Amino acid sequence: MGASQGVSASERFAASLRERLADDAGLLRFARLAAAFLVPTILALAYLAFGTGPDPRHNWLGDVMGSDLAQVWVVGRTSLGGRATEAYDLPVHLQNLAAAFGPECRFAWHYPPVFLLAASPLALLSPQGAFLVWITLSLAIFAAALHRATGRRDAVLIGLAHPLVLCNLAYGQNGLVTAGLLTLGAMLVDRRPWLAGLCFGLVAYKPQLAALAPFLLLMTGRRQALAACLATALALCLASVVLFGLAPWQAFVASLSETNRIILQEAGAGLDLNASAFGAVRLAGGSFAAAWTLQIGASLAALAVAWRVWAGNGDLGLRAATLLAAAPMVSPYVPVYDLVPLVPATILLAIAAHRAGGLHDRERALMLAAPFVALLRPAMAATSLPFGFLLGLATLACIAARALPRPVPRLGPAVPAKS
């Protein structure tokens, strides 16, 4: 009898949860409650578990402090010492990493020299100080962008509760900065085009995600924003030359073939990390030819969708969401943490849906999938199914279905009335 009551209680709870999530207001209440618990948890993990440890260069989990940020700190130190080109000499770079953090710290440096402008100031701090400053700056930019885009504090909290935010904080990655700058640029492009172009241009450190914005600005005739974008990118390049010389750029260009080998051919970071169309085929065991074929097709489709939405001058939020969702689709290498632009894209989609009368079933399913993003990489590794790419594809498809104008049904020729 007790067991049956227990089953009945669990069934009632499940039914109540389904009922809560079946309407938009219930889904929003659930998201707010989840965010109220998750945001403090994420911040505690980031600042305490990942940001402190038994020694200045390792956290309490035993990992290198900041993980991916560790090599940013090392490259910043060598750049300040007049040895910026060492970042692009893989054997020397690995030696520098091992000397600073131990032999378990092994990363290849693939960023263009403009990122030295950020790496060098961080290297003036201790590894722990650099990590804490970086994640604080990342959170501030991302939260400010969400607030600018939505004007709602609950939307900011819900965005910060997303698993991809914790993923970026744990690694010390720059995905939150990238997503924040792209969001700000897309939301400012009409009212403050020069500032929008500045935001887009600052993403030059990650050209594979930065490329879509200037393309859209060019194709839609937004000349002021395009000029500001190109001027900002050029200024960053010139500043890196002035501060570090031309040699790092020469070394960067020479290292591109090695970057292609490590990232795409050998999948040095793991096949389960790459959430692109190219990565989806390789994860499934497909050939390089098939991977490039799907990637080119996905890139062209994403470009076409983004261009149509931006050329239509429709809803600003949906326009921004399209850019954010399409940007990762264009690149053949999209580490899971670089899917974080999908977070503001999904929130902007939800707000547009609310204004238009409510979420469609497919959009609600996309919102409910958000917590499971925490399992993306292990699920991809266990099943060889490209869940990361499918998430990006589903997000862009939902946005496109709402943002693109629907074709007007053609009527047949009028039948003359009988006299």
Side-chain angles (χ1 to χ4, degrees):
M1 183 175 179
S4 64
Q5 288 179 345
V7 171
S8 177
S10 64
E11 288 177 348
R12 286 198 299 271
F13 173 77
S16 174
L17 183 61
R18 286 195 298 269
E19 184 178 351
R20 281 178 174 272
L21 300 180
D23 67 283
D24 293 358
L27 183 59
L28 178 59
R29 286 195 297 270
F30 180 80
R32 286 171 174 166
L33 287 173
F37 168 75
L38 288 173
V39 171
T41 303
I42 287 173
L43 294 180
L45 286 172
Y47 282 94
L48 299 178
F50 296 110
T52 62
D55 67 76
R57 303 195 179 197
H58 293 82
N59 59 36
W60 287 110
L61 302 179
D63 299 324
V64 171
M65 184 75 67
S67 189
D68 290 358
L69 188 68
Q71 75 156 335
V72 176
W73 185 85
V74 169
V75 169
R77 297 282 285 189
T78 58
S79 299
L80 291 174
R83 310 190 318 272
T85 56
E86 290 183 0
Y88 303 100
D89 186 334
L90 185 57
V92 175
H93 178 61
L94 293 177
Q95 290 176 5
N96 292 337
L97 292 178
F101 292 97
E104 72 274 16
C105 187
R106 295 180 60 84
F107 300 101
W109 181 263
H110 306 298
Y111 291 101
V114 294
F115 202 44
L116 301 178
L117 299 172
S120 298
L122 289 173
L124 296 173
L125 305 171
S126 67
Q128 181 184 19
F131 176 73
L132 294 176
V133 166
W134 179 253
I135 64 172
T136 302
L137 178 65
S138 300
L139 285 168
I141 292 174
F142 188 68
L146 284 175
H147 191 267
R148 173 73 191 194
T150 65
R152 299 175 52 155
R153 287 189 295 176
D154 60 348
V156 175
L157 289 175
I158 291 169
L160 291 176
H162 199 281
L164 287 171
V165 173
L166 177 59
C167 178
N168 273 271
L169 295 177
Y171 286 134
Q173 264 294 339
N174 48 49
L176 295 177
V177 177
T178 303
L181 290 173
L182 290 177
T183 302
L184 287 171
M187 296 302 298
L188 294 169
V189 72
D190 289 336
R191 292 187 176 183
R192 305 185 71 178
W194 288 102
L195 185 55
L198 172 67
C199 293
F200 288 142
L202 288 174
V203 191
Y205 63 87
K206 191 157 273 191
Q208 70 271 27
L209 294 181
L212 179 59
F215 168 81
L216 292 176
L217 297 177
L218 174 65
M219 296 300 294
T220 57
R222 292 176 165 87
R223 297 178 182 177
Q224 288 184 330
L226 178 61
C229 174
L230 297 179
T232 301
L234 179 60
L236 291 175
C237 294
L238 292 176
S240 69
V241 172
V242 170
L243 293 175
F244 307 108
L246 192 60
W249 279 100
Q250 295 170 332
F252 168 69
V253 173
S255 71
L256 291 178
S257 60
E258 187 172 36
T259 295
N260 175 68
R261 175 184 64 80
I262 293 173
I263 288 182
L264 297 181
Q265 295 182 15
E266 297 179 358
L271 288 171
D272 55 332
L273 183 67
N274 191 359
S276 69
F278 181 94
V281 175
R282 296 298 295 145
L283 180 66
S287 66
F288 284 105
W292 277 115
T293 299
L294 182 62
Q295 181 59 56
I296 292 171
S299 298
L300 292 176
L303 288 171
V305 168
W307 172 72
R308 283 199 62 195
V309 172
W310 275 60
N313 290 312
D315 181 272
L316 176 60
L318 285 175
R319 206 194 313 151
T322 304
L323 168 65
L324 292 163
M329 297 289 293
V330 175
S331 173
Y333 182 63
V334 185
V336 169
Y337 47 75
D338 272 343
L339 289 175
V340 73
L342 299 182
V343 177
T346 304
I347 292 174
L348 289 168
L349 171 63
I351 291 174
H354 173 71
R355 290 173 179 167
L359 293 167
H360 297 145
D361 287 343
R362 59 179 177 269
E363 295 166 340
R364 184 172 292 106
L366 182 66
M367 309 299 163
L368 292 173
F372 300 100
V373 174
L375 304 175
L376 269 185
R377 190 170 185 184
M380 290 166 66
T383 65
S384 295
L385 295 175
F387 293 114
F389 171 67
L390 294 176
L391 174 66
L393 187 63
T395 304
L396 182 58
C398 286
I399 294 169
R402 190 170 284 276
L404 291 175
R406 297 181 181 181
V408 179
R410 298 180 63 182
L411 300 177
V415 179
K418 293 183 179 180
S419 58

